[in-house]
Amino acid sequence: MGPPTPRPSIVGAPTGPDPPFPLRLSGPIVKGFGRGSAELGIPTANIPIEGLSVGGCEDLESGVYYGWAGVAVDGEGRQESVKGEGGGAGRVWEMVMSVGWNPFYKNSARSVEVHILHHFPNSFYGARMNLLICGFIRPEYNYTSKESLIEDIKMDVEVTRRSLAREAYERLKGEAYLLKFEGEGNEDEFAR
């Protein structure tokens, strides 16, 4: 079963995120199930599920979210020092994030899978990623085909781009938290 049609093309209040958003998650990028790039053509940068406990997000509803991802890599995916606006090394990109069980694949474990809206020619497992979740796009669905799943993810990408293009959301891209990678524990300093 997929989402109802038609879907909204923009989500979130025009004045900026409504509580409890924005939410902050952080963690090292880890290998996932290996389906994003290979099977779906939609690469993901996954963080450990334990990342949900950062800033009190452990009860985050399963579904699809949008926001900003600060990653300690350059535009090619190389883990080297690139001075960012927040004083840290790295860059910030738009992201779509799935939190859940991925019912189409019948996962036995919940996962946090982030699709960064930028093409990286290199893998960057182990790099630090800070997420600023600006809002909720839709609940998790169990799709009848891989094609319908891919189609819906592409719609999520478009909804994300339109939603983040508004001034109140674009401003959030400059939050210092996104580019602060001094290791574990900096999340609590910024958590709501």
Side-chain angles (χ1 to χ4, degrees):
M1 176 180 158
T5 53
R7 287 182 53 193
S9 61
I10 294 178
V11 294
T15 54
D18 285 329
F21 302 104
L23 298 171
R24 292 157 180 82
L25 298 179
S26 183
I29 296 170
V30 298
K31 280 192 179 265
F33 299 105
R35 299 183 291 239
S37 291
E39 194 171 320
L40 301 175
I42 301 165
T44 59
N46 306 304
I47 62 171
I49 193 68
E50 295 80 26
L52 288 177
S53 65
V54 173
C57 299
E58 56 273 339
D59 295 327
L60 194 64
E61 177 184 349
S62 290
V64 179
Y65 296 82
Y66 69 101
W68 299 103
V71 187
V73 298
D74 68 7
E76 301 292 310
R78 293 182 299 250
Q79 297 181 50
E80 59 184 34
S81 293
V82 179
K83 272 303 198 197
E85 302 147 18
R91 303 241 175 108
V92 177
W93 292 278
E94 300 159 310
M95 68 86 180
V96 178
M97 178 181 78
S98 170
V99 174
W101 301 93
N102 300 319
F104 179 76
Y105 288 104
K106 298 173 179 41
N107 286 3
S108 60
R110 203 164 182 232
S111 63
V112 179
E113 300 173 317
V114 179
H115 176 52
I116 299 170
L117 306 189
H118 178 81
H119 171 71
F120 297 95
N122 299 297
S123 295
F124 42 93
Y125 295 114
R128 192 99 184 135
M129 181 164 60
N130 297 331
L131 303 174
L132 188 67
I133 305 166
C134 296
F136 184 77
I137 296 177
R138 63 174 175 83
E140 183 174 52
Y141 293 108
N142 188 3
Y143 294 90
T144 56
S145 71
K146 182 169 52 172
E147 293 73 28
S148 61
L149 170 62
I150 292 169
E151 181 180 319
D152 224 29
I153 293 170
K154 288 180 179 179
M155 178 65 173
D156 297 333
V157 167
E158 292 309 311
V159 169
T160 293
R161 286 192 167 123
R162 286 187 208 101
S163 299
L164 291 176
R166 297 172 293 172
E167 184 180 345
Y169 293 85
E170 182 70 33
R171 256 194 321 264
L172 295 172
K173 181 180 181 181
E175 279 212 16
Y177 158 78
L178 286 165
L179 292 173
K180 185 172 180 180
F181 302 109
E182 281 81 40
E184 306 284 340
N186 77 74
E187 300 88 359
D188 294 332
E189 179 182 338
F190 294 95
R192 294 183 150 229

